[in-house]
Every structure is written in C-alpha cells, then in structure tokens.
Amino acid sequence: MTTPNKTNRRTFISQTVKGGLAVTVGLSAAAPLLQSFTTKENTIATNFKTGFDQQPLPYPYNALEDVIDAMTMEIHYSKHAAAYSKNLKDAVAAEKVDVTTSLEDVLANVSKYSAKMRNNGGGHYNHEMFWQCMRPKTENNRPTGKLMEAIEKQFFSFDNFKKQFAEFGKNRFGSGWAWLYINKDNLITIGSTTNQDNPLMDIAEIKGFPLLGLDVWEHAYYLKYQNKRADYIEAWWKVVNWDYVQQRMDSYKM
Ligand SMILES: [Fe+2]
C-alpha cells in the first residue's frame, strides 16, 4: 500500500466527507494488514472470534457511571443484547448453519441468509464487541502508542478524529452504529452503518474489520440523555477502552 502524501490525504478526506459514507486515510506501515475476509484460513485477528452465546459483561452494570447509568446497562445487556443472541441462535438452527463456523464467517456471507440472521447476527456481534470497547471512565482518556500515532497521522489530531467520528454517530438517521475500522484496502477509516449492520457484512454500506464501535440506538442512551445523542457521544469518549482497540489493531500485524 502506498501512503498518500498529506495534501492528497486532505483532498481525499474533503471529498469523502462530502460524499457521505466514510472518511478514509492511509494506514502507514500496515502492509501485512487485511488479506481476506472470505476464508477461515486467511481470517486474521483470531483472538477476536465471536461465538454465538452471550458472554458475561466484563464489568458490573454500574461500572460506567456516570457516563452510562446502571439501569441502561442492565436493560441493554440483559434484555436487548441477550435477545440478539437468542434470536441469532434460533436463526442458526432454523437455517441449518454449521455451528463450528464463526459468526464472522456468517456475517461475511449474510446476504445468503434471512433478515433475522442479519439483524440478530449483527446485533450480537456488535454488542459483544461494544462491551469490550468500554471500561470505567477516566478523565483525559486517550489512546497511546501506535494507535495514537496512527490516529494523529491519519486524522491530523485526536480531537479532529473524535469530531469526525461523532458526526457519523450524530448523523446516522434512526438507529445504527459509528465505526472506526480497517477497510479492505488496508486503510483506517471511520463511517457508520444502519440498524445492526457492521463492516464485516457483505451487504453493509461500509466493509472491513471493526476496531471500535459506538451504539447510537436510543436504547443505548435514552434513559439518561433522552434525545441528546450528541451529549451521549461526547461523554462516551471517557469510557472508551483504547487498550482493547489497540489489541484489535495489533491483531492485523500477524
Ligand atoms: Fe444496543
């Protein structure tokens, strides 16, 4: 991959922001990154395979106070997310999916399955990842090391990255997700998807491997923030688990 020079990157950012879907900039020194999303043999990031069962929440319901209140977390995890896992497994059984396959492989071919598989497979994957993407709040919460270097290089500053990412979250009409992800051209990118779609899906608006996801469904924030999605996003930066995001990015350098 050739890293575009700064002028070209700025031009490209301007063009892609106007174009709508995703902001894409070069990820330097990332030649061995994405190889394929289509075969098990070439699937990288094996540490991040997602099963079909809901895993335990990695912290108590109140651990993300006061950014995300305990009741929201409890309902979100034990009702909404639990239902995605149950309904996914129902769809897997009904559509005779090989349960030894990974959820990632199902999502990569989700166009071949039902809407139920798409909605609940995405919903389960996205939430399993979302819980890991968060941790108890810290002030001045920021990435470090290579992840921060990549963000600053590609988005010119961490604040600029947050601003652009937040725009995708705020502007996603209805329900959906904002993503930081690596696309199939080895480019680190931000964008958004509708409903429970994600970049792993063959029918998603944007495609690649997600590094960080933000749930902007109302069920994720409405009890505390009501209609103020922008306030939820602004507060959410305090609980992002940048170490986990770094681990996902590192997994592509195998
Ligand atoms: Fe959610």
Side-chain angles (χ1 to χ4, degrees):
M1 185 195 79
T2 301
T3 302
N5 63 37
K6 187 171 287 186
T7 300
N8 286 342
R9 287 208 305 266
R10 285 196 170 122
T11 302
F12 188 57
I13 287 170
S14 173
Q15 290 170 341
T16 50
V17 165
K18 290 172 185 171
L21 275 185
V23 175
T24 304
V25 284
L27 179 62
S28 61
L33 295 189
L34 302 184
Q35 314 226 339
S36 170
F37 290 99
T38 58
T39 68
K40 289 182 183 177
E41 290 72 25
N42 287 335
T43 301
I44 316 175
T46 52
N47 292 337
F48 296 99
K49 289 288 187 183
T50 303
F52 297 88
D53 293 316
Q54 187 179 37
Q55 298 302 305
L57 194 66
Y59 35 71
Y61 290 134
N62 66 356
L64 306 181
E65 295 269 12
D66 54 350
V67 173
I68 301 177
D69 59 285
M71 181 174 287
T72 295
M73 285 298 297
E74 181 171 0
I75 295 170
H76 200 176
Y77 175 83
S78 69
K79 304 298 183 186
H80 293 280
Y84 293 126
S85 177
K86 177 189 180 301
N87 292 334
L88 168 63
K89 289 187 285 188
D90 288 347
V92 162
E95 297 172 48
K96 298 182 170 44
V97 172
D98 176 5
V99 293
T100 63
T101 192
S102 71
L103 177 56
E104 284 80 354
D105 289 332
V106 174
L107 297 177
N109 298 286
V110 80
S111 62
K112 300 174 183 173
Y113 298 100
S114 65
K116 183 174 182 177
M117 189 79 77
R118 175 181 180 174
N119 292 334
N120 292 284
H124 176 61
Y125 180 93
N126 296 348
H127 286 86
E128 289 289 289
M129 177 179 167
F130 185 54
W131 313 132
Q132 300 295 330
C133 282
M134 298 186 291
R135 63 187 175 191
K137 83 169 183 180
T138 55
E139 297 299 329
N140 197 29
N141 184 32
R142 307 161 72 85
T144 57
K146 291 179 181 176
L147 176 58
M148 184 58 132
E149 288 176 21
I151 288 174
E152 289 183 331
K153 183 170 185 178
Q154 294 145 24
F155 296 92
F156 308 108
S157 72
F158 181 55
D159 286 343
N160 188 47
F161 156 74
K162 289 198 297 182
K163 182 178 177 183
Q164 293 186 24
F165 183 98
E167 288 300 312
F168 280 106
K170 287 186 283 187
N171 294 334
R172 168 51 60 184
F173 184 76
S175 300
W177 292 74
W179 302 99
L180 171 68
Y181 68 104
I182 302 173
N183 73 13
K184 292 187 175 183
D185 295 322
N186 279 347
L187 302 172
I188 195 168
T189 306
I190 56 179
S192 72
T193 54
T194 187
N195 296 323
Q196 294 295 356
D197 284 0
N198 67 45
L200 294 176
M201 293 179 172
D202 59 351
I203 51 176
E205 297 167 74
I206 55 175
K207 295 182 179 67
F209 181 76
L211 301 179
L212 172 68
L214 169 60
D215 188 343
V216 295
W217 283 59
E218 285 187 345
H219 69 222
Y221 63 86
Y222 203 84
L223 287 180
K224 180 176 175 63
Y225 297 92
Q226 292 83 48
N227 61 317
K228 299 170 185 167
R229 185 189 286 183
D231 290 356
Y232 157 65
I233 296 173
E234 179 64 27
W236 179 74
W237 294 115
K238 296 177 184 174
V239 297
V240 172
N241 186 344
W242 289 110
D243 293 333
Y244 177 71
V245 180
Q246 174 79 65
Q247 289 168 18
R248 292 184 71 97
M249 187 173 119
D250 288 346
S251 72
Y252 279 93
K253 296 180 179 177
M254 295 162 56

